[in-house]
Amino acid sequence: MPSRMGARAPAGFGRSFWELGLLLLLAFVLLQGSVFPYGADASSQHAKDGCSSTHEGKPNRTKKVFPVLSFEYDHIKTPFEVSLWVLFASLMKLGFHLVPRLSSIVPESCLLIVVGLLVGGLSKLIGESELPKLDSGNFFLVLLPPIILDAGYFLPIRPFMENLGTILMFAVVGTLWNAFFIGSVLFAVCQIPAAGLTHLGLLSCLLFGSIISAVDPVAVLAVFEEIHINELLHILVFGESLLNDAVTVVLYHLFEEFSAFGTVTVLDGFLGVISFLIVAFGGVLVGAIYGILAAFTSRFTSHMRVIEPLFVFVYSYIAYLSAELFHLSGIMALIACGAVMRPYVEANISHKSHTTIKYFLKMWSSVSETLIFILLGVATVGGPHNWNWIFVTSTVFLCLVARVIGVIGLTFIINKFRIVKLTTKDQFIVAYGGLRGAIAFSLGFLLEVEDEEMRHIFLTAIITVIFFTVFVQGMTIKPLVELLAVKKKQEAKRSINEEIHIQFLDHLLTGIEDICGHYGHHHWKDKMNRFNRKYVKKCLIAGERSKEPQLIAFYHKLEFKQAIQLVESGGGGKLSSALPSTVSIQNIQPKKPPPAPEPRERVLPQLPKSREEEIRKILRSNLQRTRQRLRSYNRHTLVADPYEEGLNDLLKKQKMFELEKKIKEMNNYLSVPVATSDSPNLRRARLASGRQTDFKPDEQQNGKKQTSDPQAYNVKPDPVEVPTIQVELASPQSPDSVNILDEFRKDKEKDEDTGLTMKPPSGPSAPPRKQSGEEDAKDPQKLTRCLSDPGPSADEGEDDPFLP
Amino acid sequence: LSFLECSWRFCGRFKALWMKAALPDFKIRELTENPIGGRIIAAFFPPEKERLDFPSFVRILAHFRPIGKNRSRDRAQPEQANSRTGKLKFAFELYDQDRDGKISREELLQVLRAMLGLQVTEEQLRSIAERAIQEADLDGDGAISFDEFKKSLEKVDMEHKMNIRFLK
């Protein structure tokens, strides 16, 4: 998970120690809280018995005093403990960032494991034996799905698909190679009498090999997130860790079944292959089905925006569980579900739902990951161990060797088919990034073999490998990346040019392929796109958006970002080139065409800086007053999202800014000639378009103002407002929307709200300009408040359009 | 043309295609659906010529050859057709129909109109074109020259994109 340096930098080292100490104290108290109630259990039982017996009215019992304050721990025990653990994990996460240098040297996963070890050690000292185990049920059903869903939903589809062949090779063939190599060599090692392991059969060793061979997505995510390597390597290692789940599942079950019997025939091998295909494709199919269902459902949620995120989560979780039901690959189902539903769902849901989904996924996956690592540490201390030097060391050694050989061998074959070859540096990073993690541990935990001792040996070895990879490899990969000068992640800021040209090139390549008669990559991609556009989008995307081509969607997104960024930077001052904002913006309705700006050369008078300041001060004080008129927020009547409409107007405004930028001379120039008039035509159009509201400023907000200022730019009025959302009479307005409304309020409207009279634009040229200057000075105040949610990290990947 | 040597392997396929192309009613079905199909075909024909001969055909296709390892003799030649610049030049020429060395707003609009077609309004197209030119145009002449074009695509992996695999 991205390490976020806390905004409050500790003043000095001493201070950070204090805070860390306080945190530790708090954590300790919490732990005692979970331990203490065990003792209290007994007493509460007594009290209950006492009470019940008095009710029965047995004569030989004395009447107890009615308990004014009773302590009953039993029935809240489980939720209470779970919450305590979650709280503890989150506090630990906070704590790491208080110690400034620590989080840059040591990856978070290591720190969390250490914390887990400490906690485990502490509780063992106290004598508490009931520690929460990294129970396979908990792990696979509760802790793992959020992480995988987060990964799948935000999976960058384009690089994934482009490298799919490579990824599959690594995932399937690489894992198979690893498993067999490690298993068979270990068996050979076990034959050495000195090891005392001769009772481990070949099948058991192979079983162990299959458990330990899989690269773990959780660990990979945790480490790779912090090193920011280039997209190709990231998607290779990460994709491999996701897709090898199918192989692991099949191998695990295969060997588990047969290690009991002791023999494997060719038929079993053949069945294994079939099983693999079923597991893999079945998982993907299940995920895709649920993804389509989710997309279809989201088409109808325009009236009930609040529960939109819920559909995404629930459908995905059900997909995971359904896949697990049939012993298919749950991870692949989850990935497929997320990846399939994303483009359609994002076109349907509101901007706020999108933010909600993003945040919830990040939050859950973050907490999950933290808990997993802590519990891993705890389980290490608590778990039954059987340390066998030879076994453990040879396992670690073999894992490394197998990985290196596997990667080199596979790359040699793969490079024959790739256009962009994998260099030695790439191979090294791929090999080095093969981290094992909690999945291996849970699988080991799940093992049911008659020989308990063997199980303990396995578990010990698994834990050692995990520790080795996470600590040693995790800590050193960052300096190694620096040392080898591996290409880092580019801050991808896709420009509209790139989009246009990339689409152009796609068409070009498709054409050339058609000429050559060569049905290549582009041909099929084009066919799929066509199919998608013609049939699928119509079904799954609501309303007009189904016809919106991707380029337009991307363009709108860009414009939004720029508008927001402009506003956040405080008005039309310095317009730097569009930096992606940390809030991903939802597409707006395509029916509102942005006005075509007509560049005209003209010289505008400048606003003196003091005047600007004055205006800003007045506006700021007025905003306070209008705030108080807000109604309470009622989720049942939350229907419309006027915020989005306001943004649209802002978008048009921003176009003005851009043009202004071109011709203005001074940087601090602040003026936009969008005067706000309200011609009767517009009013009629708005009313006719069916918006019923008694909240007058609403009307204002929707109409685009026509200016009669001869020197101002002409803004094309929207003849068709897009009120696909009905604003109910009692619609509550969130603070944001009201504020946006403010600026468009005329003095004809509620004067008492705005202490500032805005003159109608029909006056001389100077006042309208001043007026509009006030208006857009207002913008930054309001919208900065609206957009106060910083993203987890400016995650460019997600903000990329969902172009295949 | 060393490329020719390599392409003898696929000569059969080319020849068949070329024979087809020599026929007057040459139609490749998919190309009619392709928004820039007309431009692609036009690019094959050298200006003012009605017929395409094999070397010209191959010369165009050479742009799509994956970039191989640098051989010493290749370095002696000026812009290789399949080098990054060569590929970009080809794409640029597809935009720039009137061959004045710049992509004007009108030309960009035409391409956008062809690609996006009837799904968007004229104003949207205009504003996209305007925005694209704003972003790319560094010298402020209102059109995109080849260098500006190159610069705006510097992050795109051209070597990966403009490749037909079997043309190695």
Side-chain angles (χ1 to χ4, degrees):
Chain A
M1 295 293 124
S3 47
R4 222 187 323 173
M5 296 309 286
R8 37 187 210 297
F13 212 56
R15 187 173 150 215
S16 65
F17 263 145
W18 258 121
E19 292 176 324
L20 196 58
L22 272 171
L23 265 181
L24 281 175
L25 192 64
L26 183 60
F28 191 69
V29 166
L30 285 175
L31 275 175
Q32 284 296 65
S34 66
V35 164
F36 173 63
Y38 286 108
D41 250 346
S43 59
S44 68
Q45 284 288 9
H46 261 284
K48 269 210 289 208
D49 281 339
C51 283
S52 60
S53 59
T54 48
H55 287 309
E56 288 175 89
K58 289 224 175 101
N60 51 354
R61 296 221 191 265
T62 54
K63 176 173 173 234
K64 283 196 76 139
V65 178
F66 184 75
V68 184
L69 188 68
S70 56
F71 191 89
E72 215 181 293
Y73 183 64
D74 251 352
H75 79 271
I76 57 153
K77 176 172 165 195
T78 318
F80 191 68
E81 288 182 348
V82 169
S83 313
L84 275 182
W85 272 102
V86 173
L87 188 61
F88 174 66
S90 316
L91 285 173
M92 280 300 109
K93 234 175 133 78
L94 275 183
F96 292 145
H97 297 288
L98 290 177
V99 184
R101 282 183 55 237
L102 198 59
S103 43
S104 51
I105 305 176
V106 187
E108 242 177 56
S109 39
C110 303
L111 291 172
L112 289 169
I113 294 186
V114 168
V115 167
L117 286 173
L118 284 174
V119 169
L122 264 175
S123 15
K124 215 166 192 171
L125 280 177
I126 299 178
E128 182 55 54
S129 59
E130 263 215 44
L131 285 170
K133 291 219 177 5
L134 194 56
D135 184 348
S136 296
N138 279 343
F139 178 72
F140 280 114
L141 293 181
V142 177
L143 289 177
L144 189 63
I147 302 179
I148 305 294
L149 180 60
D150 180 38
Y153 193 78
F154 294 115
L155 192 69
I157 298 282
R158 192 156 218 197
F160 186 75
M161 285 302 170
E162 282 177 5
N163 294 300
L164 192 61
T166 315
I167 294 177
L168 277 176
M169 273 289 270
F170 276 123
V172 177
V173 181
T175 313
L176 278 173
W177 155 259
N178 272 349
F180 280 104
F181 182 76
I182 294 177
S184 33
V185 176
L186 261 182
F187 178 64
V189 166
C190 287
Q191 299 307 98
I192 304 175
L197 293 164
T198 41
H199 57 282
L200 288 172
L202 176 63
L203 277 171
S204 314
C205 287
L206 282 174
L207 176 60
F208 178 72
S210 71
I211 297 177
I212 200 77
S213 64
V215 178
D216 187 77
V218 181
V220 164
L221 254 183
V223 169
F224 271 52
E225 199 93 14
E226 299 182 7
I227 61 178
H228 298 299
I229 50 169
N230 64 43
E231 197 180 52
L232 174 67
L233 286 178
H234 188 223
I235 199 72
L236 279 182
V237 182
F238 185 57
E240 180 198 341
S241 68
L242 289 175
L243 294 185
N244 66 21
D245 181 59
V247 182
T248 311
V249 164
V250 170
L251 280 180
Y252 180 76
H253 283 123
L254 194 72
F255 289 131
E256 200 185 21
E257 284 282 316
F258 298 128
S259 67
F261 295 134
T263 51
V264 182
T265 63
V266 178
L267 179 65
D268 298 323
F270 184 64
L271 284 176
V273 172
I274 305 258
S275 164
F276 165 70
L277 289 172
I278 292 183
V279 162
F281 289 114
V284 171
L285 189 68
V286 167
I289 291 178
Y290 278 103
I292 293 183
L293 277 176
F296 191 64
T297 312
S298 73
R299 184 183 168 180
F300 303 107
T301 56
S302 51
H303 298 288
M304 201 54 197
R305 295 273 180 199
V306 214
I307 57 175
E308 272 169 346
L310 187 69
F311 284 119
V312 171
F313 300 140
V314 171
Y315 271 111
S316 313
Y317 194 48
I318 292 187
Y320 179 74
L321 292 176
S322 312
E324 288 290 326
L325 178 68
F326 296 107
H327 271 303
L328 303 173
S329 168
I331 290 185
M332 293 185 81
L334 212 44
I335 303 278
C337 185
V340 163
M341 79 164 118
R342 186 180 174 202
Y344 308 111
V345 161
E346 290 211 336
N348 281 334
I349 61 178
S350 73
H351 155 57
K352 285 183 175 157
S353 298
H354 175 88
T355 312
T356 309
I357 292 179
K358 175 169 147 179
Y359 270 89
F360 262 81
L361 281 179
K362 295 286 178 203
M363 179 186 82
W364 273 329
S365 63
S366 179
V367 169
S368 267
E369 187 188 289
T370 315
L371 270 177
I372 287 179
F373 282 116
I374 292 185
L375 289 178
L376 202 57
V378 171
T380 309
V381 174
H385 286 301
N386 191 334
W387 182 271
N388 186 313
W389 271 105
I390 300 188
F391 192 76
V392 171
T393 45
S394 50
T395 310
V396 175
F397 180 68
L398 280 174
C399 278
L400 282 173
V401 168
R403 177 92 182 145
V404 171
I405 299 180
V407 169
I408 294 182
L410 280 175
T411 321
F412 180 71
I413 302 177
I414 289 174
N415 269 347
K416 295 201 199 292
F417 297 101
R418 278 181 69 92
I419 298 177
V420 177
K421 315 278 182 209
L422 293 175
T423 64
T424 321
K425 260 196 263 177
D426 295 336
Q427 293 176 35
F428 177 75
I429 296 289
V430 171
Y432 207 68
L435 305 172
R436 312 312 200 255
I439 290 188
F441 180 75
S442 309
L443 284 176
F445 215 78
L446 259 182
L447 267 182
E448 282 164 14
V449 288
E450 328 81 40
D451 195 352
E452 273 303 305
E453 195 201 315
M454 188 161 68
R455 186 161 159 262
H456 295 181
I457 297 179
F458 285 172
L459 273 177
T460 313
I462 292 175
I463 289 189
T464 315
V465 173
I466 295 179
F467 271 50
F468 181 78
T469 53
V470 172
F471 278 90
V472 174
Q473 284 178 257
M475 269 201 267
T476 54
I477 200 170
K478 193 162 188 175
L480 272 174
V481 162
E482 305 280 334
L483 193 68
L484 290 176
V486 179
K487 256 202 318 181
K488 289 277 192 111
K489 179 155 93 157
Q490 285 175 328
E491 289 315 308
K493 173 185 54 133
R494 271 170 91 161
S495 66
I496 189 88
N497 269 295
E498 278 180 23
E499 286 306 314
I500 299 180
H501 298 318
I502 288 176
Q503 256 205 330
F504 184 79
L505 286 177
D506 278 342
H507 286 301
L508 171 63
L509 262 292
T510 314
I512 298 283
E513 279 185 2
D514 288 333
I515 291 181
C516 300
H518 167 71
Y519 287 137
H521 180 61
H522 287 94
H523 177 88
W524 294 116
K525 212 159 75 145
D526 193 56
K527 269 210 156 63
M528 218 178 65
N529 277 342
R530 239 181 263 276
F531 174 71
N532 191 18
R533 208 181 322 151
K534 243 166 73 165
Y535 302 111
V536 180
K537 273 195 177 166
K538 288 230 181 72
C539 295
L540 297 180
I541 301 187
E544 284 309 315
R545 295 238 180 96
S546 58
K547 300 206 196 73
E548 186 178 77
Q550 274 158 344
L551 198 56
I552 300 289
F554 178 75
Y555 171 68
H556 283 312
K557 207 170 189 175
L558 260 189
E559 290 284 293
F560 256 156
K561 280 185 182 166
Q562 199 168 10
I564 301 267
Q565 190 255 339
L566 160 75
V567 155
E568 277 183 341
S569 69
K574 291 188 192 165
L575 243 197
S576 46
S577 57
L579 296 170
S581 72
T582 52
V583 177
S584 184
I585 314 289
Q586 183 56 28
N587 298 330
I588 59 169
Q589 309 268 358
K591 271 252 181 93
K592 289 193 185 186
E598 297 152 31
R600 251 181 282 166
E601 288 293 326
R602 56 193 202 88
V603 178
L604 298 163
Q606 301 163 4
L607 263 185
K609 205 150 190 218
S610 56
R611 200 88 176 90
E612 245 178 69
E613 272 313 307
E614 215 177 68
I615 293 169
R616 285 214 176 136
K617 230 187 323 165
I618 298 174
L619 290 174
R620 231 172 281 151
S621 57
N622 275 309
L623 285 176
Q624 315 292 350
R625 257 183 273 163
T626 48
R627 269 274 163 91
Q628 278 134 28
R629 289 192 65 244
L630 295 177
R631 307 190 196 164
S632 68
Y633 188 77
N634 183 342
R635 70 167 184 266
H636 291 293
T637 52
L638 170 69
V639 187
D641 204 350
Y643 174 60
E644 289 180 331
E645 320 258 325
L647 261 187
N648 197 24
D649 292 332
L650 202 67
L651 193 70
K652 292 174 194 161
K653 214 179 213 17
Q654 186 249 331
K655 289 202 105 44
M656 303 298 161
F657 289 162
E658 287 196 282
L659 281 153
E660 282 297 338
K661 178 196 171 200
K662 267 167 116 177
I663 54 183
K664 72 180 175 213
E665 315 235 345
M666 301 259 296
N667 266 347
N668 301 345
Y669 199 60
L670 182 78
S671 154
V672 155
V674 176
T676 62
S677 89
D678 201 17
S679 71
N681 292 337
L682 270 183
R683 253 194 206 260
R684 246 179 276 128
R686 260 179 268 125
L687 286 176
S689 64
R691 288 188 77 99
Q692 311 116 6
T693 170
D694 68 345
F695 204 140
K696 261 196 185 160
D698 243 0
E699 296 175 10
Q700 260 37 25
Q701 183 198 27
N702 282 326
K704 193 48 197 167
K705 322 312 164 235
Q706 193 88 72
T707 173
S708 55
D709 183 352
Q711 287 195 359
Y713 294 134
N714 277 328
V715 181
K716 290 204 180 116
D718 289 342
V720 185
E721 289 301 330
V722 197
T724 55
I725 316 164
Q726 290 291 343
V727 180
E728 288 184 20
L729 286 182
S731 79
Q733 302 291 323
S734 59
D736 313 331
S737 52
V738 169
N739 287 339
I740 295 174
L741 301 180
D742 273 347
E743 67 173 322
F744 300 132
R745 209 170 296 204
K746 301 311 157 322
D747 54 340
K748 307 174 203 161
E749 309 303 323
K750 327 209 175 192
D751 264 36
E752 64 272 18
D753 294 346
T754 70
L756 187 67
T757 49
M758 301 211 199
K759 301 191 192 72
S762 46
S765 40
R769 219 152 290 120
K770 196 179 13 152
Q771 177 182 346
S772 45
E774 296 152 0
E775 284 175 1
D776 58 72
K778 250 192 176 172
D779 280 353
Q781 316 294 339
K782 281 170 284 189
L783 280 179
T784 7
R785 256 162 286 185
C786 311
L787 306 169
S788 56
D789 46 343
S793 59
D795 207 341
E796 316 304 352
E798 319 155 10
D799 289 351
D800 272 346
F802 35 85
L803 288 174
Chain B
L1 208 61
S2 60
F3 172 63
L4 260 178
E5 293 156 18
C6 306
S7 73
W8 280 117
R9 262 186 288 156
F10 306 98
C11 188
R13 206 191 305 202
F14 280 178
K15 254 202 182 148
L17 210 53
W18 182 52
M19 289 305 173
K20 220 171 30 157
L23 299 172
D25 57 345
F26 177 51
K27 265 208 232 337
I28 297 184
R29 192 194 66 239
E30 290 90 350
L31 269 188
T32 54
E33 290 175 349
N34 195 320
I36 55 173
R39 288 174 188 248
I40 298 177
I41 296 190
F44 273 88
F45 289 84
E48 313 302 321
K49 280 178 72 169
E50 281 294 311
R51 300 183 53 88
L52 177 68
D53 56 354
F54 192 59
S56 315
F57 183 69
V58 165
R59 212 168 280 134
I60 303 286
L61 278 183
H63 288 291
F64 294 94
R65 193 164 145 230
I67 295 181
K69 295 199 170 64
N70 268 335
R71 286 175 292 240
S72 51
R73 55 193 168 126
D74 288 347
R75 224 174 282 154
Q77 287 177 329
E79 291 307 333
Q80 267 265 297
N82 70 336
S83 70
R84 187 189 163 90
T85 316
K87 294 185 201 265
L88 281 169
K89 190 87 182 138
F90 183 69
F92 187 77
E93 270 161 19
L94 278 177
Y95 273 100
D96 184 21
Q97 290 289 306
D98 55 5
R99 314 267 162 150
D100 62 352
K102 287 183 191 292
I103 304 177
S104 70
R105 193 168 297 132
E106 260 315 302
E107 286 166 343
L108 192 60
L109 256 181
Q110 275 173 20
V111 170
L112 282 175
R113 209 173 286 136
M115 287 204 297
L116 300 174
L118 312 154
Q119 297 155 354
V120 291
T121 62
E122 189 64 28
E123 286 104 41
Q124 274 177 312
L125 285 178
R126 259 185 224 287
S127 42
I128 293 181
E130 181 61 42
R131 166 129 196 176
I133 294 199
Q134 263 181 31
E135 262 182 18
D137 192 14
L138 303 165
D139 54 9
D141 58 356
I144 305 179
S145 71
F146 180 57
D147 286 321
E148 290 161 356
F149 183 73
K150 230 183 0 180
K151 186 151 198 335
S152 69
L153 284 180
E154 63 189 353
K155 288 202 199 108
V156 175
D157 189 5
M158 287 301 265
E159 293 88 340
H160 206 158
K161 283 206 154 308
M162 277 183 72
N163 276 305
I164 307 283
R165 218 165 278 240
F166 74 87
L167 288 176
K168 258 188 88 76

